[in-house]
Amino acid sequence: MTRWGILATGHIASRFAEDLRLVPDAELVAVGSRAADSAQRFADTYGAKRAYGSWVELAADPEVDVIYVATPHAAHHEAAMTCLTAGRAVLLEKPFTLDVATSTELVDTARAAGVFLMEAMWMRTNPLILRATELIAEGAIGTVSSVRADFGVAGPFSPDHRMRNPKLGGGALLDLGIYPISLAHLLLGVPQHIRSWAQLGPEGTDENTGILFGYDTGALAALSCGMVGATELSASITGSTGRIDLPEPFFRPGSLTLHRAGAEPETIVAEEAGNGYQYETIEVQRCLAAGLTESPLVPHATTLEVMALLDAVREQIGVRYE
């Protein structure tokens, strides 16, 4: 049995706790928050044995094997460091931190301590996303030449909302844009050329962002994220002999459609279960059982490369976090 703690009690933490119930040999034993009453309500709702009014107390619980950190972006570094230095394995919500420098600090700390650390980029553990990568590796669509992906929500968000607050890492890029960027990275790796444009809001965070990645192979990725209109939330992967389409939402698709040259389209349908967070949980438990300190599906190098891409885009569009 893997004994879980959850640090934070917001919406994502709730959805994770719901899916934890679907995972064999997983038990929620404790929850921690800076507000004791919030922690207790969460514990009562999801059946945790203990509730703590501080992160330090949660991290110190000897009956917790691994902690899922679900705070807002700006608190990721502090929360994860609290857990790692206490010797607790960590599944840390994406993005790891606000920049690659502080993300590197977490990776270095985990490696020095020999403690497991993984970014909760659930897309990279999704069975259909993994199936798409298998099909590509098998040559089903030939050589990948382009990736297109978008993630836009309608808003509007009030001025005091975290999505507009630079102190909290607000804006579309870190919250939404990380998904298209991560998909492009999964399929094409690190680009040699980056071009980005954005409309910034009055607080200085990005409201509508376009990103173009170019590769020396000739491949490209056309990506977008925003909070000024609901986009299709789809993705398309084109190769020299075919295409794979991922419908809404592409990061947790209900199906994928394979278009092979000269053949009828093939649709592969996913099993419908939970919110989709159970797969990252299963991967963490598999790694812990195997004595691994990082996941081969979401390795530290991948997390840091994606964070570096986010930093590069942020520099080009002129977004600064306080």
Side-chain angles (χ1 to χ4, degrees):
M1 182 68 68
T2 302
R3 301 168 299 181
W4 284 83
I6 295 180
L7 192 156
T9 58
H11 175 66
I12 297 299
S14 296
R15 296 183 71 183
F16 181 87
E18 291 167 3
D19 281 4
L20 197 63
R21 295 167 172 169
L22 304 176
V23 180
D25 298 324
E27 179 186 11
L28 176 59
V29 298
V31 59
S33 171
R34 283 174 166 166
D37 57 343
S38 178
Q40 190 60 60
R41 285 194 300 270
F42 193 96
D44 292 341
T45 300
Y46 297 105
K49 297 176 181 177
R50 291 179 293 283
Y52 296 110
S54 76
W55 300 350
V56 171
E57 288 179 287
L58 173 64
D61 189 327
E63 294 186 12
V64 172
D65 300 313
V66 54
I67 295 175
Y68 169 63
V69 174
T71 64
H73 311 331
H76 283 183
H77 181 271
E78 180 187 353
M81 194 66 79
T82 299
C83 299
L84 291 172
T85 54
R88 300 288 168 252
V90 173
L91 175 63
L92 177 59
E93 253 311 323
K94 56 81 197 162
F96 238 35
T97 64
L98 297 185
D99 56 39
V100 71
T102 48
S103 291
T104 301
E105 288 180 14
L106 292 183
V107 169
D108 289 345
T109 299
R111 287 176 174 170
V115 177
F116 179 86
L117 173 64
M118 175 179 139
E119 182 181 22
M121 177 40 74
W122 56 319
M123 179 182 69
R124 294 184 69 108
T125 65
N126 182 276
L128 273 188
I129 296 296
L130 295 176
R131 182 59 184 141
T133 62
E134 289 173 355
L135 288 168
I136 292 168
E138 293 165 3
I141 62 171
T143 301
V144 176
S145 58
S146 70
V147 175
R148 180 205 57 78
D150 65 85
F151 195 163
V153 296
F157 295 98
S158 63
D160 59 346
H161 195 280
R162 69 170 182 84
M163 288 288 282
R164 291 178 58 176
N165 190 341
K167 293 182 179 179
L168 298 179
L173 183 63
L174 290 193
D175 212 81
L176 312 176
I178 189 172
Y179 287 105
I181 288 175
S182 292
L183 182 67
H185 181 277
L186 174 64
L187 301 169
L188 293 171
V190 177
Q192 287 71 55
H193 313 278
I194 302 172
R195 297 290 183 270
S196 310
W197 305 264
Q199 168 191 331
L200 303 186
E203 295 82 14
T205 50
D206 63 306
E207 294 184 336
N208 202 24
T209 302
I211 304 160
L212 187 64
F213 287 165
Y215 299 81
D216 287 348
T217 60
L220 59 86
L223 317 169
S224 66
C225 60
M227 43 193 203
V228 295
T231 62
E232 207 173 53
L233 301 186
S234 64
S236 185
I237 307 155
T238 301
S240 54
T241 61
R243 188 179 78 247
I244 294 174
D245 291 333
L246 299 170
E248 174 186 5
F250 73 86
F251 46 86
R252 187 217 164 190
S255 66
L256 68 77
T257 302
L258 171 62
H259 302 265
R260 299 179 192 260
E264 290 294 315
E266 306 169 39
T267 298
I268 302 172
V269 179
E271 294 183 8
E272 292 293 335
N275 302 303
Y277 294 95
Q278 66 268 36
Y279 304 115
E280 62 184 3
T281 303
I282 292 169
E283 173 63 6
V284 170
Q285 296 192 171
R286 185 191 70 81
C287 291
L288 292 177
L292 302 178
T293 55
E294 63 180 298
S295 162
L297 292 183
V298 196
H300 297 159
T302 288
T303 292
L304 297 181
E305 286 174 357
V306 170
M307 284 303 311
L309 292 175
L310 291 166
D311 279 6
V313 171
R314 219 162 33 84
E315 178 67 26
Q316 288 189 2
I317 64 178
V319 170
R320 305 284 185 273
Y321 297 134
E322 297 179 23

